[in-house]
Amino acid sequence: MANTDDADDANITPPTIFAGPTKRFFISMFTRDIELKDAILDMLDNCVDGAMRHSGRDLNADRPYEGYWAKIVANSERFEMTDNCGGIPRDIARGSAFRLGRPDMERDKALPTIGMYGIGMKRAIFKLGRDAKVHSQPAEGPFLVHYDKEWMDEDNEDWDLPIDWTPAARQDGLGTTITVTDLLASVKEDFSRDSAFLEELRDAISTYYGYIISKGFSVELNGKAVDPKILSLFSTDDLGQAGMAPYLLQGELDGVRYVVAVGFRRPLATESEIDDEQDAPRTSDDAGITIICNDRVVTLNDRSRLTGWGENNVPKYHNQFIAIGGSMSFTSNNASKLPLTTTKRGVDAATEVYLTARTYAMEGLKSATAFTNKWKGIEEETESFFQKAKPMTVSVFEKAVTAELRDVREVAAKRFNPKLPMPPAEKPTRRISFTRTAVEIDEVAEYLFDDKTRRPADVGSECFNYVLKDART
Amino acid sequence: MSGVDVPYHLRPNKYVDRQIFIDLLHRLDRVRSLARSVYVSMGGKFLDDHKAVRFAFDLRGSVSIEKFERVVSRQNFNKPFEDVSCLCSESKDFVSGFSAFRANYPEDTNFIVWLDFVNPKERLIQLEEFSTLVGFGKPFDVFRITLNANAETLKGSAAQKPPQFKTIMDWRLSIFESQLNRFPVSATAVEMTTKAFPNALARAVGVAAQEGAKRRKFVVRPLSVSSYADGNHTMLSVTTILLPTEEADRFMAAPWISDWRHRAPDWSTVGRIDVPDLSMKEKMLIDRHINMMDDVQIAAALGFELGEDTDSTLTKLSQYRRHFRFYPQFVRMV
C-alpha cells in the first residue's frame, strides 16, 4: 500500500539535495591527478612565494632570495619540509590557508609569486600520508594544525580542523614546518634507500628551481644541498668579432621583462654522435628552449612549435641540433601579468608578451640552426671556435654583452646578434653519404691505411681523395 | 614559373597591377608622407619597379633582394640610382632577418615591402614568410605579396584524379587544404576553379597577415586585392598596411583611401585585372570616346568585336574602362 504521509514524501522528494564534495574526493581522488614529485615541488613553490611575500624584494635584483631556505627530509618514516620563509600569517591561517581552494584570488595578485589555487600544500599532504602537522610561525606568533588519522578518514564528513594557537615556538626564525607521517605504502617505497625517486626529486629541484637557487635560495634534501642546474651557453670574450656567442634579446612589455637567449650549450655533434643519439637519446634531452617565469622553470627544453621550432623558416628539431640551447625568461613583480596558464604550470602561448618573445626566440634559432647546417659534415672545423669560447650563464652573458646591445625598432627591446663564423662561401660543399658492409669497409681500410680500425668516415673520405688525385692527373 | 623572364611591356596585366600599386602609394603619401619610407622588393634584373617607385616618390632609400649573385651584378648595372641597394639574399633569409635589417635604419623609418613570388609549390612557405614579415612590422609599414593563384597548379604529380574525389575540384580542395593547413580559410570545392581560386587564396593571405599581427599593438588591413592573368598563370596581389589599433578605422576612412575605386573592401573580394590587347589605333579611338560613351556605344564605334562575341567585347571594354589610366603604351624607340 502506498505511503501518503507528508513527512515521508519529503524524504523521498526533498526540495534540495546535498551537492558538496566528499572528503574521499579530496583525499583519494584529487591526488591522483598529480605525481608525487610535482606535489612536493608545489610545496616548494609555497616556500618561494612565502619568501617573496616576506622580503618584499624586487625580482630583478641580483639575489632576491638570499638568506631564504627550505630543508626536506624524506625517508620511509616521515616527510618533513621546513622553511624560513616568513610563516603563514595568522589571518590567512584563520581564513584560507587550510581551506581546500582559495576563496580570494586577489591575494598576492601584485606579488611575484607562482602559487595560485591554494591547494598545493593540502594536496601534497594527502598525497604523502595520513597524519600531518603544520607548524607555522609568522611574526604574530606560532600555531599548529594537526591533520590526524581520524580527520583523514575518507568516510568522516567532519571538515573542522582543530588549531592550536599556543604551540612551542621554533628557534630558527619565522617559517613553516610540515611533517607527514603514516606515509602511504607507495610513498614509503619511493622514499626508501633502494628507490631512485629521491635522486629524481633532487634532479627535478635542481632543474626547476635552478634559477631560484642560483639567485640565493637554498634547498637541502636529506641534509645535502641541492645544486642548481642552469643553462650555460658558449661565448667568446670579444663580442665585436666573429665567434661563438648566444643571440640575446631583452625587452619589456606591459610590466613584464623578458629575456630571450639562444646559443650553443656544447660543441656541434659529429655525424657518428648523431647516429648514436638516434639509437639511444642521451644528450638530446638537454637541447631546446626552456621557459622560465619569475625564475621558476615552467617548460623544460622544449623542441616543439611552442618555442618556434618547425615554423616560419626555422627547421623542425632534429638530433643534428643537439648543441642548441636557449631560454625565454619572463619576470614581473605582478605575477598575474606572466604568460602562465591558470594552473601556473604551463605557458599561455596566446599572450602578447609570449608571442613577442617567441618571435625573437625564432630569430635566435634561425641563426643557430643556420650555423649548424652550414658546418654540416665538417663539424670538426668548428672545434677551434668553441675552444676560444667558454660557457656562460645567461645572466652573466647579459652583463658581458651590455655594451653590444642595439635597439630593436619594432618593439621596446635591445638585441645582440652574434656574428657566428661561417665556412668560406667561395667553395660550396656537398655531402656524400653511403653505406657499405662492415667487412668491405675493413677491407678498404686495410688497403688504404693498413689499419682495419680506422673510422668508416675516414675510409670514405680517403677513398674520395684517392680518386680525386687520379681524376686530376 | 609565370612570365618571370618576360619583360614588363609584354605583360600588360602585370603592368596594370603594378601601376595600381603605385597609384595606391600616391594616395597613402597624401594621408601620411612616404618620405621616411624605404622600398624593398624582388626587383628582378631590370629593377623596373624601383625605377617606377623611386621616380614617383621621395623615399629614404630602396633595396632589392635577389637570390642569384649573377643577377645582383646585372641589377647593379641597371639600377636607376646609386643608392638602390642590391642584396644577394633569399626572401626567407631576408624575412627572418628583417628585424635586424630594419634596425640599421633610423628609428622612424617605415618599410614598403613587396614579396613577389611565382612558385605555386611553395605557397605555404610564402605565406609563412609574409606572416613573419608582418610580425616584424611597425604601424604604417606597407606589405605586399604576389602569389601564383592558378587553380591548375593544385594537382598531384600525376594528373590522374584519385577515385575517392568526386570531381577535380574536390581533389584540388584537398590539396589546397593540405598545402595551407596552417592558415585555414574554409574554402569550398566551387572555389577551386581558375576564376574563383584567387578569392580563397586571398583569404589565406588575410589569415597569414592577421596571424603575424596577432596580439600586437597594431592591426593589419587590406588595401588592395587583385588578380590578373600573366601568361598562362593567374596571379594574386594583396597589399596591406599595418595601423595602430586605435587609429586604424580613422586612417581607412580618410577620403584618399576610402574613395579609391580599387580599394579592397575585405580580404576576399578580389578585383580582376584582364585588360584587352589593343593596337595604338584602337586605343586612341576608345580613349577619345571613353568619357562620353558607354561600352555599347564604344563597341558600335569600333565596328568589330574585340572579343569572341558581343558579351566578351563588352567585358573587355569594361575592363579597359576600369584600368585605362594604367594601360601601358609602349612604342618602339629605336
Side-chain angles (χ1 to χ4, degrees):
Chain A
M1 205 171 134
N3 189 340
T4 53
D5 187 293
D6 282 352
D8 280 0
D9 199 30
N11 279 342
I12 297 161
T13 56
T16 61
I17 51 168
F18 178 69
T22 63
K23 211 179 258 179
R24 184 187 304 275
F25 171 75
F26 278 102
I27 292 182
S28 301
M29 308 293 286
F30 198 37
T31 50
R32 288 185 191 177
D33 295 342
I34 189 164
E35 302 252 337
L36 179 58
K37 195 165 59 190
D38 293 329
I40 296 170
L41 295 187
D42 269 358
M43 290 170 114
L44 259 183
D45 282 349
N46 287 340
C47 302
V48 175
D49 287 353
M52 292 322 290
R53 210 176 286 131
H54 183 246
S55 75
R57 290 179 197 156
D58 185 333
L59 269 191
N60 292 315
D62 254 7
R63 290 173 71 82
Y65 310 98
E66 188 76 63
Y68 289 99
W69 50 257
K71 295 173 184 170
I72 302 166
V73 174
N75 55 44
S76 307
E77 300 306 312
R78 73 188 165 108
F79 172 90
E80 186 172 287
M81 185 183 283
T82 309
D83 69 49
N84 71 336
C85 300
I88 304 167
R90 280 190 162 211
D91 60 328
I92 308 256
R94 269 192 299 270
S96 60
F98 296 92
R99 295 273 300 270
L100 292 166
R102 177 183 287 184
D104 173 17
M105 297 296 280
E106 290 298 302
R107 180 189 157 217
D108 289 352
K109 205 176 162 196
L111 274 175
T113 56
I114 38 186
M116 189 154 184
Y117 278 142
I119 50 170
M121 173 183 75
K122 282 90 53 171
R123 184 162 60 171
I125 286 174
F126 304 154
K127 183 89 190 168
L128 285 158
R130 289 293 172 264
D131 186 289
K133 286 180 178 156
V134 181
H135 180 287
S136 190
Q137 186 162 325
E140 313 94 282
F143 63 84
L144 175 74
V145 170
H146 186 186
Y147 292 89
D148 61 16
K149 203 169 180 150
E150 194 186 336
W151 192 93
M152 295 268 220
D153 183 351
E154 291 169 1
D155 297 322
N156 175 358
E157 287 299 320
D158 181 8
W159 292 82
D160 285 341
L161 198 57
I163 183 163
D164 175 0
W165 294 104
T166 55
R170 57 188 265 166
Q171 301 307 312
D172 46 2
L174 307 181
T176 302
T177 301
I178 299 163
T179 313
V180 187
T181 52
D182 195 5
L183 299 179
L184 300 185
S186 63
V187 176
K188 271 187 186 173
E189 202 171 302
D190 279 340
F191 288 175
S192 74
R193 282 162 192 274
D194 309 332
S195 158
F197 176 83
L198 289 173
E199 272 320 299
E200 284 167 23
L201 177 63
R202 178 179 292 278
D203 194 51
I205 296 171
S206 46
T207 305
Y208 286 90
Y209 291 84
Y211 294 88
I212 292 172
I213 296 172
S214 72
K215 289 184 174 184
F217 197 82
S218 124
V219 183
E220 240 178 46
L221 176 60
N222 285 341
K224 197 174 146 211
V226 178
D227 296 323
K229 200 188 269 182
I230 60 178
L231 175 73
S232 285
L233 299 170
F234 273 88
S235 175
T236 65
D237 290 330
D238 189 0
L239 294 169
Q241 300 297 315
M244 298 316 297
Y247 167 95
L248 188 105
L249 181 123
Q250 301 169 332
E252 181 141 2
L253 187 75
D254 296 335
V256 180
R257 182 175 187 270
Y258 60 95
V259 177
V260 175
V262 182
F264 291 86
R265 56 183 194 89
R266 45 155 287 171
L268 298 186
T270 57
E271 193 190 341
S272 59
E273 202 180 344
I274 295 169
D275 289 346
D276 292 349
E277 194 65 25
Q278 201 76 38
D279 301 336
R282 280 170 293 124
T283 79
S284 203
D285 289 348
D286 295 328
I289 306 285
T290 292
I291 304 167
I292 304 157
C293 285
N294 276 357
D295 297 327
R296 164 72 146 92
V297 169
V298 178
T299 301
L300 185 65
N301 300 328
D302 178 82
R303 298 183 283 274
S304 74
R305 287 169 71 134
L306 177 68
T307 50
W309 288 97
E311 207 169 285
N312 290 12
N313 200 19
V314 175
K316 278 186 182 165
Y317 179 79
H318 177 273
N319 283 339
Q320 78 193 67
F321 301 128
I322 210 165
I324 299 174
S327 62
M328 293 160 76
S329 173
F330 303 87
T331 318
S332 177
N333 284 318
N334 184 342
S336 64
K337 293 191 166 177
L338 292 169
L340 285 169
T341 54
T342 48
T343 62
K344 294 207 173 183
R345 284 294 170 270
V347 174
D348 183 353
T351 50
E352 182 183 358
V353 69
Y354 183 77
L355 285 171
T356 307
R358 180 178 178 268
T359 300
Y360 295 97
M362 288 163 74
E363 195 177 48
L365 280 174
K366 180 79 186 71
S367 112
T369 50
F371 175 84
T372 314
N373 285 335
K374 292 269 190 225
W375 291 98
K376 194 170 177 181
I378 44 171
E379 290 85 2
E380 292 83 0
E381 291 179 30
T382 64
E383 276 167 16
S384 64
F385 309 138
F386 283 93
Q387 278 159 11
K388 283 184 210 140
K390 56 177 184 285
M392 274 185 207
T393 65
V394 174
S395 57
V396 168
F397 181 70
E398 272 190 274
K399 290 195 180 85
V401 80
T402 312
E404 301 291 331
L405 291 171
R406 300 284 174 269
D407 282 342
V408 176
R409 297 289 187 233
E410 65 279 6
V411 291
K414 286 177 183 297
R415 165 176 51 201
F416 171 71
N417 250 330
K419 298 184 196 79
L420 298 176
M422 289 294 172
E426 54 276 17
K427 286 186 183 171
T429 57
R430 297 285 181 275
R431 183 183 178 77
I432 301 177
S433 165
F434 57 91
T435 308
R436 287 292 179 276
T437 64
V439 177
E440 284 170 336
I441 295 170
D442 287 352
E443 223 178 301
V444 178
E446 193 166 24
Y447 178 75
L448 289 171
F449 299 106
D450 192 21
D451 178 3
K452 275 188 182 179
T453 62
R454 293 300 282 255
R455 293 187 316 143
D458 294 344
V459 177
S461 170
E462 188 58 23
C463 286
F464 187 87
N465 294 339
Y466 191 93
V467 176
L468 186 65
K469 269 184 218 145
D470 273 1
R472 284 178 176 170
T473 51
Chain B
M1 304 283 265
S2 81
V4 68
D5 236 22
V6 183
Y8 257 102
H9 61 267
L10 298 177
R11 300 152 80 184
N13 288 322
K14 184 162 181 70
Y15 183 88
V16 169
D17 181 55
R18 195 188 72 199
Q19 291 309 108
I20 291 176
F21 175 49
I22 289 169
D23 191 42
L24 169 64
L25 292 180
H26 274 293
R27 285 172 173 262
L28 291 173
D29 192 36
R30 300 273 180 151
V31 184
R32 194 175 183 279
S33 166
L34 297 178
R36 290 184 296 274
S37 294
V38 171
Y39 177 73
V40 183
S41 79
M42 298 139 101
K45 52 187 179 277
F46 300 134
L47 296 173
D48 280 324
D49 57 328
H50 283 256
K51 283 175 202 153
V53 170
R54 295 299 299 276
F55 274 107
F57 303 99
D58 175 21
L59 300 180
R60 196 164 258 171
S62 69
V63 178
S64 167
I65 45 176
E66 167 59 48
K67 184 176 171 182
F68 299 107
E69 191 75 56
R70 57 184 161 79
V71 180
V72 174
S73 306
R74 197 162 170 191
Q75 286 179 329
N76 275 316
F77 178 81
N78 283 319
K79 65 187 180 186
F81 300 102
E82 198 51 42
D83 67 345
V84 177
S85 166
C86 303
L87 299 182
C88 187
S89 170
E90 288 194 46
S91 65
K92 62 176 185 177
D93 295 326
F94 174 79
V95 166
S96 56
F98 184 61
S99 169
F101 171 82
R102 83 178 302 154
N104 295 325
Y105 289 84
E107 172 85 53
D108 60 354
T109 307
N110 274 116
F111 286 84
I112 302 161
V113 183
W114 180 2
L115 299 179
D116 191 359
F117 296 117
V118 287
N119 188 351
K121 286 185 184 143
E122 293 183 349
R123 273 192 201 108
L124 176 63
I125 296 169
Q126 292 157 0
L127 286 177
E128 284 187 334
E129 284 179 22
F130 192 63
S131 183
T132 305
L133 183 68
V134 171
F136 284 132
K138 262 176 60 172
F140 304 108
D141 283 346
V142 174
F143 294 149
R144 171 174 164 91
I145 184 171
T146 299
L147 293 162
N148 187 315
N150 203 2
E152 269 188 33
T153 59
L154 293 170
K155 62 183 177 199
S157 49
Q160 194 83 43
K161 175 178 73 64
Q164 68 264 38
F165 299 108
K166 199 170 163 195
T167 66
I168 193 123
M169 270 75 88
D170 291 303
W171 185 27
R172 286 175 179 176
L173 179 64
S174 130
I175 294 166
F176 178 68
E177 284 173 345
S178 67
Q179 254 187 12
L180 298 187
N181 55 0
R182 256 204 73 199
F183 305 111
V185 292
S186 35
T188 57
V190 181
E191 289 179 305
M192 297 300 119
T193 57
T194 306
K195 208 170 166 191
F197 183 56
N199 300 48
L201 192 57
R203 290 205 299 281
V205 172
V207 173
Q210 286 171 78
E211 180 76 18
K214 200 161 84 178
R215 304 262 186 255
R216 302 298 300 272
K217 290 194 168 29
F218 57 75
V219 290
V220 55
R221 295 283 176 89
L223 288 167
S224 75
V225 180
S226 53
S227 81
Y228 58 91
D230 188 25
N232 292 329
H233 285 270
T234 302
M235 306 301 287
L236 170 77
S237 282
V238 180
T239 309
T240 67
I241 186 165
L242 312 192
L243 294 167
T245 311
E246 63 285 0
E247 273 183 54
D249 289 341
R250 193 153 34 95
F251 187 95
M252 296 300 284
W256 284 104
I257 308 296
S258 64
D259 295 349
W260 186 47
R261 71 179 299 180
H262 301 285
R263 185 193 149 187
D266 50 47
W267 291 102
S268 62
T269 308
V270 180
R272 178 97 188 128
I273 302 168
D274 187 12
V275 290
D277 292 326
L278 298 174
S279 72
M280 187 58 80
K281 208 169 167 184
E282 290 162 351
K283 178 176 158 42
M284 285 167 70
L285 181 128
I286 300 170
D287 287 348
R288 183 171 177 158
H289 297 300
I290 201 157
N291 296 324
M292 309 296 289
M293 292 183 179
D294 64 20
D295 294 344
V296 176
Q297 289 169 316
I298 292 177
L302 281 170
F304 54 86
E305 300 289 3
L306 277 180
E308 286 143 19
D309 53 23
T310 310
D311 283 349
S312 139
T313 297
L314 291 177
T315 306
K316 283 179 187 292
L317 282 171
S318 134
Q319 269 289 328
Y320 182 75
R321 182 181 291 280
R322 191 171 162 82
H323 300 116
F324 79 95
R325 289 194 302 115
F326 311 118
Y327 193 91
Q329 301 180 58
F330 294 107
V331 288
R332 191 177 149 149
M333 253 171 81
V334 282

